[in-house]
mmCIF file of all heavy atoms in Angstrom:
data_model
loop_
_atom_site.group_PDB
_atom_site.id
_atom_site.type_symbol
_atom_site.label_atom_id
_atom_site.label_comp_id
_atom_site.label_asym_id
_atom_site.label_seq_id
_atom_site.Cartn_x
_atom_site.Cartn_y
_atom_site.Cartn_z
ATOM 1 N N VAL P 791 48.934 -109.403 -4.190
ATOM 2 C CA VAL P 791 48.774 -108.200 -3.389
ATOM 3 C C VAL P 791 47.989 -108.579 -2.143
ATOM 4 O O VAL P 791 46.881 -109.131 -2.228
ATOM 5 C CB VAL P 791 48.041 -107.100 -4.170
ATOM 6 C CG1 VAL P 791 47.821 -105.879 -3.290
ATOM 7 C CG2 VAL P 791 48.816 -106.740 -5.427
ATOM 8 N N LEU P 792 48.544 -108.291 -0.985
ATOM 9 C CA LEU P 792 47.892 -108.614 0.278
ATOM 10 C C LEU P 792 46.915 -107.515 0.678
ATOM 11 O O LEU P 792 47.088 -106.356 0.319
ATOM 12 C CB LEU P 792 48.932 -108.800 1.377
ATOM 13 C CG LEU P 792 50.030 -109.837 1.114
ATOM 14 C CD1 LEU P 792 50.988 -109.906 2.298
ATOM 15 C CD2 LEU P 792 49.426 -111.209 0.831
ATOM 16 N N GLY P 793 45.881 -107.915 1.411
ATOM 17 C CA GLY P 793 44.925 -106.944 1.945
ATOM 18 C C GLY P 793 43.826 -106.555 0.984
ATOM 19 O O GLY P 793 43.023 -105.682 1.297
ATOM 20 N N GLU P 794 43.761 -107.192 -0.169
ATOM 21 C CA GLU P 794 42.700 -106.942 -1.139
ATOM 22 C C GLU P 794 42.220 -108.279 -1.688
ATOM 23 O O GLU P 794 42.890 -109.295 -1.573
ATOM 24 C CB GLU P 794 43.193 -106.052 -2.284
ATOM 25 C CG GLU P 794 43.646 -104.667 -1.840
ATOM 26 C CD GLU P 794 44.034 -103.793 -3.020
ATOM 27 O OE1 GLU P 794 43.427 -103.949 -4.102
ATOM 28 O OE2 GLU P 794 44.946 -102.961 -2.873
ATOM 29 N N GLY P 795 41.018 -108.256 -2.313
ATOM 30 C CA GLY P 795 40.508 -109.468 -2.923
ATOM 31 C C GLY P 795 39.667 -110.289 -1.965
ATOM 32 O O GLY P 795 39.246 -109.818 -0.903
ATOM 33 N N PRO P 796 39.393 -111.542 -2.333
ATOM 34 C CA PRO P 796 38.568 -112.403 -1.477
ATOM 35 C C PRO P 796 39.201 -112.616 -0.104
ATOM 36 O O PRO P 796 40.424 -112.654 0.033
ATOM 37 C CB PRO P 796 38.505 -113.722 -2.257
ATOM 38 C CG PRO P 796 38.821 -113.357 -3.679
ATOM 39 C CD PRO P 796 39.785 -112.212 -3.592
ATOM 40 N N MET P 797 38.359 -112.758 0.897
ATOM 41 C CA MET P 797 38.822 -113.142 2.228
ATOM 42 C C MET P 797 38.856 -114.670 2.275
ATOM 43 O O MET P 797 37.827 -115.326 2.171
ATOM 44 C CB MET P 797 37.908 -112.600 3.311
ATOM 45 C CG MET P 797 38.296 -113.041 4.726
ATOM 46 S SD MET P 797 39.887 -112.378 5.288
ATOM 47 C CE MET P 797 39.376 -110.704 5.724
ATOM 48 N N TYR P 798 40.058 -115.220 2.444
ATOM 49 C CA TYR P 798 40.229 -116.668 2.523
ATOM 50 C C TYR P 798 40.330 -117.087 3.984
ATOM 51 O O TYR P 798 41.089 -116.493 4.759
ATOM 52 C CB TYR P 798 41.498 -117.089 1.782
ATOM 53 C CG TYR P 798 41.448 -116.860 0.294
ATOM 54 C CD1 TYR P 798 42.119 -115.775 -0.284
ATOM 55 C CD2 TYR P 798 40.727 -117.708 -0.533
ATOM 56 C CE1 TYR P 798 42.074 -115.555 -1.651
ATOM 57 C CE2 TYR P 798 40.678 -117.499 -1.905
ATOM 58 C CZ TYR P 798 41.349 -116.424 -2.460
ATOM 59 O OH TYR P 798 41.299 -116.206 -3.806
ATOM 60 N N VAL P 799 39.554 -118.125 4.347
ATOM 61 C CA VAL P 799 39.599 -118.651 5.710
ATOM 62 C C VAL P 799 39.826 -120.157 5.636
ATOM 63 O O VAL P 799 39.198 -120.858 4.842
ATOM 64 C CB VAL P 799 38.298 -118.377 6.477
ATOM 65 C CG1 VAL P 799 38.444 -118.838 7.932
ATOM 66 C CG2 VAL P 799 37.923 -116.909 6.413
ATOM 67 N N VAL P 800 40.732 -120.641 6.462
ATOM 68 C CA VAL P 800 40.918 -122.071 6.705
ATOM 69 C C VAL P 800 40.669 -122.295 8.188
ATOM 70 O O VAL P 800 41.189 -121.544 9.023
ATOM 71 C CB VAL P 800 42.339 -122.538 6.341
ATOM 72 C CG1 VAL P 800 42.517 -124.022 6.642
ATOM 73 C CG2 VAL P 800 42.646 -122.241 4.878
ATOM 74 N N SER P 801 39.861 -123.309 8.519
ATOM 75 C CA SER P 801 39.587 -123.529 9.931
ATOM 76 C C SER P 801 39.446 -125.017 10.221
ATOM 77 O O SER P 801 39.282 -125.834 9.302
ATOM 78 C CB SER P 801 38.315 -122.791 10.359
ATOM 79 O OG SER P 801 38.184 -122.786 11.774
ATOM 80 N N VAL P 802 39.519 -125.352 11.498
ATOM 81 C CA VAL P 802 39.372 -126.734 11.966
ATOM 82 C C VAL P 802 38.507 -126.720 13.224
ATOM 83 O O VAL P 802 38.698 -125.875 14.099
ATOM 84 C CB VAL P 802 40.749 -127.389 12.237
ATOM 85 C CG1 VAL P 802 41.549 -126.611 13.277
ATOM 86 C CG2 VAL P 802 40.584 -128.847 12.662
ATOM 87 N N SER P 803 37.558 -127.639 13.280
ATOM 88 C CA SER P 803 36.693 -127.717 14.459
ATOM 89 C C SER P 803 36.924 -128.985 15.268
ATOM 90 O O SER P 803 36.564 -129.047 16.438
ATOM 91 C CB SER P 803 35.218 -127.625 14.052
ATOM 92 O OG SER P 803 34.869 -128.657 13.140
ATOM 93 N N GLY P 804 37.532 -130.000 14.659
ATOM 94 C CA GLY P 804 37.794 -131.248 15.354
ATOM 95 C C GLY P 804 39.142 -131.256 16.051
ATOM 96 O O GLY P 804 39.893 -130.279 16.022
ATOM 97 N N PRO P 805 39.514 -132.395 16.688
ATOM 98 C CA PRO P 805 40.720 -132.446 17.507
ATOM 99 C C PRO P 805 42.004 -132.801 16.772
ATOM 100 O O PRO P 805 43.087 -132.704 17.346
ATOM 101 C CB PRO P 805 40.379 -133.533 18.526
ATOM 102 C CG PRO P 805 39.478 -134.469 17.768
ATOM 103 C CD PRO P 805 38.660 -133.590 16.867
ATOM 104 N N LYS P 806 41.917 -133.207 15.497
ATOM 105 C CA LYS P 806 43.122 -133.539 14.743
ATOM 106 C C LYS P 806 43.803 -132.247 14.293
ATOM 107 O O LYS P 806 43.169 -131.390 13.676
ATOM 108 C CB LYS P 806 42.775 -134.396 13.531
ATOM 109 C CG LYS P 806 43.964 -134.794 12.666
ATOM 110 C CD LYS P 806 43.482 -135.606 11.471
ATOM 111 C CE LYS P 806 44.628 -135.993 10.544
ATOM 112 N NZ LYS P 806 44.136 -136.743 9.347
ATOM 113 N N MET P 807 45.114 -132.095 14.575
ATOM 114 C CA MET P 807 45.804 -130.838 14.303
ATOM 115 C C MET P 807 47.071 -131.046 13.480
ATOM 116 O O MET P 807 47.764 -132.051 13.640
ATOM 117 C CB MET P 807 46.181 -130.154 15.629
ATOM 118 C CG MET P 807 44.999 -129.822 16.513
ATOM 119 S SD MET P 807 43.989 -128.502 15.788
ATOM 120 C CE MET P 807 42.535 -128.572 16.876
ATOM 121 N N TYR P 808 47.359 -130.079 12.607
ATOM 122 C CA TYR P 808 48.606 -130.037 11.844
ATOM 123 C C TYR P 808 49.405 -128.802 12.266
ATOM 124 O O TYR P 808 48.847 -127.841 12.801
ATOM 125 C CB TYR P 808 48.343 -129.941 10.342
ATOM 126 C CG TYR P 808 47.673 -131.134 9.715
ATOM 127 C CD1 TYR P 808 47.031 -131.014 8.483
ATOM 128 C CD2 TYR P 808 47.689 -132.391 10.315
ATOM 129 C CE1 TYR P 808 46.406 -132.101 7.878
ATOM 130 C CE2 TYR P 808 47.069 -133.479 9.722
ATOM 131 C CZ TYR P 808 46.431 -133.325 8.503
ATOM 132 O OH TYR P 808 45.824 -134.400 7.907
ATOM 133 N N GLU P 809 50.694 -128.830 11.958
ATOM 134 C CA GLU P 809 51.509 -127.646 12.206
ATOM 135 C C GLU P 809 51.069 -126.517 11.280
ATOM 136 O O GLU P 809 50.431 -126.742 10.249
ATOM 137 C CB GLU P 809 52.994 -127.969 11.989
ATOM 138 C CG GLU P 809 53.333 -128.427 10.573
ATOM 139 C CD GLU P 809 54.802 -128.776 10.418
ATOM 140 O OE1 GLU P 809 55.627 -127.980 10.888
ATOM 141 O OE2 GLU P 809 55.100 -129.820 9.831
ATOM 142 N N ILE P 810 51.419 -125.297 11.645
ATOM 143 C CA ILE P 810 50.988 -124.136 10.877
ATOM 144 C C ILE P 810 52.184 -123.319 10.431
ATOM 145 O O ILE P 810 53.193 -123.209 11.145
ATOM 146 C CB ILE P 810 50.025 -123.262 11.712
ATOM 147 C CG1 ILE P 810 49.412 -122.159 10.841
ATOM 148 C CG2 ILE P 810 50.715 -122.687 12.944
ATOM 149 C CD1 ILE P 810 48.258 -121.447 11.491
ATOM 150 N N GLY P 811 52.070 -122.760 9.216
ATOM 151 C CA GLY P 811 53.127 -121.922 8.680
ATOM 152 C C GLY P 811 52.989 -120.480 9.146
ATOM 153 O O GLY P 811 52.164 -120.150 10.003
ATOM 154 N N ASP P 812 53.787 -119.622 8.552
ATOM 155 C CA ASP P 812 53.800 -118.198 8.906
ATOM 156 C C ASP P 812 53.876 -117.383 7.627
ATOM 157 O O ASP P 812 54.785 -116.574 7.426
ATOM 158 C CB ASP P 812 54.985 -117.893 9.829
ATOM 159 C CG ASP P 812 54.943 -116.464 10.364
ATOM 160 O OD1 ASP P 812 53.865 -115.839 10.296
ATOM 161 O OD2 ASP P 812 55.992 -115.980 10.833
ATOM 162 N N ASP P 813 52.891 -117.595 6.750
ATOM 163 C CA ASP P 813 52.903 -116.932 5.454
ATOM 164 C C ASP P 813 52.356 -115.508 5.557
ATOM 165 O O ASP P 813 51.504 -115.216 6.408
ATOM 166 C CB ASP P 813 52.095 -117.745 4.449
ATOM 167 C CG ASP P 813 52.721 -119.107 4.189
ATOM 168 O OD1 ASP P 813 53.961 -119.193 4.217
ATOM 169 O OD2 ASP P 813 51.980 -120.079 3.967
ATOM 170 N N PRO P 814 52.792 -114.621 4.676
ATOM 171 C CA PRO P 814 52.412 -113.203 4.780
ATOM 172 C C PRO P 814 50.914 -112.941 4.653
ATOM 173 O O PRO P 814 50.428 -111.919 5.159
ATOM 174 C CB PRO P 814 53.181 -112.551 3.621
ATOM 175 C CG PRO P 814 54.323 -113.477 3.353
ATOM 176 C CD PRO P 814 53.811 -114.846 3.638
ATOM 177 N N TRP P 815 50.167 -113.824 3.981
ATOM 178 C CA TRP P 815 48.744 -113.574 3.770
ATOM 179 C C TRP P 815 47.919 -113.705 5.050
ATOM 180 O O TRP P 815 46.786 -113.231 5.117
ATOM 181 C CB TRP P 815 48.175 -114.511 2.709
ATOM 182 C CG TRP P 815 48.074 -115.961 3.123
ATOM 183 C CD1 TRP P 815 49.036 -116.901 3.034
ATOM 184 C CD2 TRP P 815 46.931 -116.611 3.699
ATOM 185 N NE1 TRP P 815 48.582 -118.112 3.519
ATOM 186 C CE2 TRP P 815 47.283 -117.957 3.927
ATOM 187 C CE3 TRP P 815 45.639 -116.197 4.044
ATOM 188 C CZ2 TRP P 815 46.406 -118.883 4.480
ATOM 189 C CZ3 TRP P 815 44.761 -117.124 4.598
ATOM 190 C CH2 TRP P 815 45.137 -118.452 4.805
ATOM 191 N N MET P 816 48.467 -114.311 6.082
ATOM 192 C CA MET P 816 47.708 -114.620 7.292
ATOM 193 C C MET P 816 47.599 -113.404 8.213
ATOM 194 O O MET P 816 48.578 -112.976 8.813
ATOM 195 C CB MET P 816 48.375 -115.768 8.046
ATOM 196 C CG MET P 816 48.510 -117.059 7.260
ATOM 197 S SD MET P 816 49.390 -118.321 8.230
ATOM 198 C CE MET P 816 49.431 -119.693 7.056
ATOM 199 N N ASP P 817 46.398 -112.846 8.337
ATOM 200 C CA ASP P 817 46.158 -111.752 9.288
ATOM 201 C C ASP P 817 46.065 -112.267 10.719
ATOM 202 O O ASP P 817 46.389 -111.557 11.673
ATOM 203 C CB ASP P 817 44.868 -111.012 8.948
ATOM 204 C CG ASP P 817 45.008 -110.146 7.709
ATOM 205 O OD1 ASP P 817 46.148 -109.947 7.245
ATOM 206 O OD2 ASP P 817 43.976 -109.685 7.190
ATOM 207 N N ARG P 818 45.580 -113.480 10.865
ATOM 208 C CA ARG P 818 45.431 -114.112 12.172
ATOM 209 C C ARG P 818 45.518 -115.619 11.957
ATOM 210 O O ARG P 818 44.977 -116.134 10.987
ATOM 211 C CB ARG P 818 44.085 -113.726 12.785
ATOM 212 C CG ARG P 818 43.781 -114.273 14.178
ATOM 213 C CD ARG P 818 44.564 -113.588 15.269
ATOM 214 N NE ARG P 818 43.903 -113.773 16.583
ATOM 215 C CZ ARG P 818 44.475 -113.480 17.742
ATOM 216 N NH1 ARG P 818 45.708 -112.976 17.772
ATOM 217 N NH2 ARG P 818 43.814 -113.647 18.886
ATOM 218 N N ARG P 819 46.197 -116.314 12.850
ATOM 219 C CA ARG P 819 46.363 -117.759 12.687
ATOM 220 C C ARG P 819 46.325 -118.435 14.043
ATOM 221 O O ARG P 819 46.456 -117.782 15.084
ATOM 222 C CB ARG P 819 47.682 -118.076 11.959
ATOM 223 C CG ARG P 819 48.905 -117.549 12.664
ATOM 224 C CD ARG P 819 50.122 -117.491 11.730
ATOM 225 N NE ARG P 819 51.251 -116.908 12.456
ATOM 226 C CZ ARG P 819 52.322 -117.580 12.867
ATOM 227 N NH1 ARG P 819 52.439 -118.874 12.579
ATOM 228 N NH2 ARG P 819 53.291 -116.990 13.527
ATOM 229 N N ALA P 820 46.120 -119.761 14.028
ATOM 230 C CA ALA P 820 46.052 -120.513 15.279
ATOM 231 C C ALA P 820 46.475 -121.957 15.038
ATOM 232 O O ALA P 820 46.154 -122.560 14.007
ATOM 233 C CB ALA P 820 44.643 -120.477 15.857
ATOM 234 N N TYR P 821 47.185 -122.487 16.019
ATOM 235 C CA TYR P 821 47.639 -123.873 16.031
ATOM 236 C C TYR P 821 47.037 -124.567 17.250
ATOM 237 O O TYR P 821 46.860 -123.939 18.304
ATOM 238 C CB TYR P 821 49.173 -123.892 16.092
ATOM 239 C CG TYR P 821 49.799 -125.223 16.446
ATOM 240 C CD1 TYR P 821 49.796 -126.280 15.548
ATOM 241 C CD2 TYR P 821 50.420 -125.402 17.682
ATOM 242 C CE1 TYR P 821 50.389 -127.488 15.868
ATOM 243 C CE2 TYR P 821 51.023 -126.604 18.009
ATOM 244 C CZ TYR P 821 51.003 -127.649 17.100
ATOM 245 O OH TYR P 821 51.585 -128.858 17.412
ATOM 246 N N MET P 822 46.685 -125.848 17.104
ATOM 247 C CA MET P 822 46.160 -126.650 18.212
ATOM 248 C C MET P 822 44.953 -125.972 18.857
ATOM 249 O O MET P 822 44.843 -125.871 20.079
ATOM 250 C CB MET P 822 47.254 -126.906 19.252
ATOM 251 C CG MET P 822 48.300 -127.902 18.827
ATOM 252 S SD MET P 822 47.672 -129.600 18.680
ATOM 253 C CE MET P 822 47.400 -130.024 20.398
ATOM 254 N N THR P 823 44.014 -125.532 18.021
ATOM 255 C CA THR P 823 42.853 -124.813 18.526
ATOM 256 C C THR P 823 41.602 -125.257 17.767
ATOM 257 O O THR P 823 41.547 -125.138 16.543
ATOM 258 C CB THR P 823 43.028 -123.292 18.359
ATOM 259 O OG1 THR P 823 44.276 -122.887 18.939
ATOM 260 C CG2 THR P 823 41.900 -122.542 19.034
ATOM 261 N N GLN P 824 40.622 -125.772 18.490
ATOM 262 C CA GLN P 824 39.327 -126.101 17.896
ATOM 263 C C GLN P 824 38.478 -124.837 17.858
ATOM 264 O O GLN P 824 38.311 -124.151 18.869
ATOM 265 C CB GLN P 824 38.622 -127.181 18.723
ATOM 266 C CG GLN P 824 39.260 -128.553 18.610
ATOM 267 C CD GLN P 824 38.534 -129.578 19.463
ATOM 268 O OE1 GLN P 824 38.986 -129.919 20.554
ATOM 269 N NE2 GLN P 824 37.406 -130.076 18.972
ATOM 270 N N LEU P 825 37.911 -124.550 16.687
ATOM 271 C CA LEU P 825 37.205 -123.292 16.461
ATOM 272 C C LEU P 825 35.887 -123.511 15.751
ATOM 273 O O LEU P 825 35.675 -124.527 15.066
ATOM 274 C CB LEU P 825 38.069 -122.358 15.618
ATOM 275 C CG LEU P 825 39.399 -121.904 16.220
ATOM 276 C CD1 LEU P 825 40.431 -121.703 15.137
ATOM 277 C CD2 LEU P 825 39.213 -120.619 17.024
ATOM 278 N N PHE P 826 34.993 -122.545 15.891
ATOM 279 C CA PHE P 826 33.818 -122.438 15.033
ATOM 280 C C PHE P 826 33.670 -120.968 14.674
ATOM 281 O O PHE P 826 34.204 -120.087 15.355
ATOM 282 C CB PHE P 826 32.562 -122.966 15.721
ATOM 283 C CG PHE P 826 32.124 -122.178 16.923
ATOM 284 C CD1 PHE P 826 31.234 -121.113 16.802
ATOM 285 C CD2 PHE P 826 32.604 -122.492 18.190
ATOM 286 C CE1 PHE P 826 30.837 -120.373 17.914
ATOM 287 C CE2 PHE P 826 32.206 -121.768 19.310
ATOM 288 C CZ PHE P 826 31.326 -120.708 19.172
ATOM 289 N N GLN P 827 32.952 -120.705 13.583
ATOM 290 C CA GLN P 827 32.802 -119.334 13.090
ATOM 291 C C GLN P 827 31.325 -118.967 12.981
ATOM 292 O O GLN P 827 30.503 -119.787 12.528
ATOM 293 C CB GLN P 827 33.468 -119.175 11.726
ATOM 294 C CG GLN P 827 34.979 -119.149 11.770
ATOM 295 C CD GLN P 827 35.626 -120.475 12.147
ATOM 296 O OE1 GLN P 827 36.539 -120.532 12.953
ATOM 297 N NE2 GLN P 827 35.149 -121.569 11.562
ATOM 298 N N TRP P 828 31.010 -117.748 13.399
ATOM 299 C CA TRP P 828 29.676 -117.168 13.223
ATOM 300 C C TRP P 828 29.800 -116.043 12.213
ATOM 301 O O TRP P 828 30.661 -115.169 12.334
ATOM 302 C CB TRP P 828 29.164 -116.628 14.554
ATOM 303 C CG TRP P 828 27.898 -115.829 14.463
ATOM 304 C CD1 TRP P 828 26.616 -116.313 14.438
ATOM 305 C CD2 TRP P 828 27.775 -114.396 14.415
ATOM 306 N NE1 TRP P 828 25.706 -115.280 14.378
ATOM 307 C CE2 TRP P 828 26.392 -114.094 14.368
ATOM 308 C CE3 TRP P 828 28.693 -113.342 14.416
ATOM 309 C CZ2 TRP P 828 25.927 -112.780 14.304
ATOM 310 C CZ3 TRP P 828 28.228 -112.041 14.352
ATOM 311 C CH2 TRP P 828 26.859 -111.770 14.299
ATOM 312 N N ILE P 829 28.932 -116.068 11.204
ATOM 313 C CA ILE P 829 28.966 -115.083 10.125
ATOM 314 C C ILE P 829 27.568 -114.501 9.960
ATOM 315 O O ILE P 829 26.581 -115.253 9.907
ATOM 316 C CB ILE P 829 29.465 -115.721 8.816
ATOM 317 C CG1 ILE P 829 30.908 -116.219 9.002
ATOM 318 C CG2 ILE P 829 29.387 -114.733 7.657
ATOM 319 C CD1 ILE P 829 31.331 -117.259 8.009
ATOM 320 N N ASN P 830 27.481 -113.193 9.884
ATOM 321 C CA ASN P 830 26.199 -112.508 9.764
ATOM 322 C C ASN P 830 26.258 -111.525 8.591
ATOM 323 O O ASN P 830 27.151 -110.665 8.539
ATOM 324 C CB ASN P 830 25.881 -111.758 11.062
ATOM 325 C CG ASN P 830 24.505 -111.143 11.059
ATOM 326 O OD1 ASN P 830 23.500 -111.851 11.063
ATOM 327 N ND2 ASN P 830 24.438 -109.812 11.067
ATOM 328 N N VAL P 831 25.316 -111.657 7.667
ATOM 329 C CA VAL P 831 25.273 -110.820 6.469
ATOM 330 C C VAL P 831 24.002 -109.979 6.513
ATOM 331 O O VAL P 831 22.885 -110.525 6.607
ATOM 332 C CB VAL P 831 25.304 -111.687 5.195
ATOM 333 C CG1 VAL P 831 25.238 -110.806 3.952
ATOM 334 C CG2 VAL P 831 26.551 -112.560 5.171
ATOM 335 N N HIS P 832 24.155 -108.678 6.437
ATOM 336 C CA HIS P 832 22.992 -107.796 6.487
ATOM 337 C C HIS P 832 23.314 -106.492 5.779
ATOM 338 O O HIS P 832 24.292 -105.809 6.119
ATOM 339 C CB HIS P 832 22.592 -107.521 7.936
ATOM 340 C CG HIS P 832 21.348 -106.706 8.082
ATOM 341 N ND1 HIS P 832 20.195 -106.955 7.364
ATOM 342 C CD2 HIS P 832 21.049 -105.635 8.886
ATOM 343 C CE1 HIS P 832 19.264 -106.104 7.704
ATOM 344 N NE2 HIS P 832 19.758 -105.265 8.615
ATOM 345 N N ASP P 833 22.500 -106.165 4.787
ATOM 346 C CA ASP P 833 22.683 -104.939 4.006
ATOM 347 C C ASP P 833 24.122 -104.868 3.473
ATOM 348 O O ASP P 833 24.542 -105.751 2.745
ATOM 349 C CB ASP P 833 22.335 -103.711 4.849
ATOM 350 C CG ASP P 833 20.841 -103.631 5.168
ATOM 351 O OD1 ASP P 833 20.051 -104.219 4.417
ATOM 352 O OD2 ASP P 833 20.481 -102.990 6.169
#
């Protein structure tokens, strides 16, 4: 069931890149993109 359960994230910060699929679970996706994530937990 999509849209419920744990939030799964896959990310890459370095320059080595693989091709990306188009699976239904992906709310947002990126190819050939170096990324970092900021996460803030409060209450």
Side-chain angles (χ1 to χ4, degrees):
V791 177
L792 304 180
E794 298 184 33
M797 177 66 78
Y798 294 103
V799 185
V800 178
S801 191
V802 59
S803 58
K806 180 182 178 182
M807 300 291 169
Y808 294 161
E809 61 182 314
I810 188 168
D812 187 17
D813 296 326
W815 70 274
M816 301 177 181
D817 287 348
R818 182 74 159 168
R819 58 198 177 108
Y821 166 72
M822 287 292 289
T823 307
Q824 289 179 259
L825 297 148
F826 65 90
Q827 286 69 225
W828 171 84
I829 297 160
N830 186 67
V831 179
H832 184 46
D833 292 337

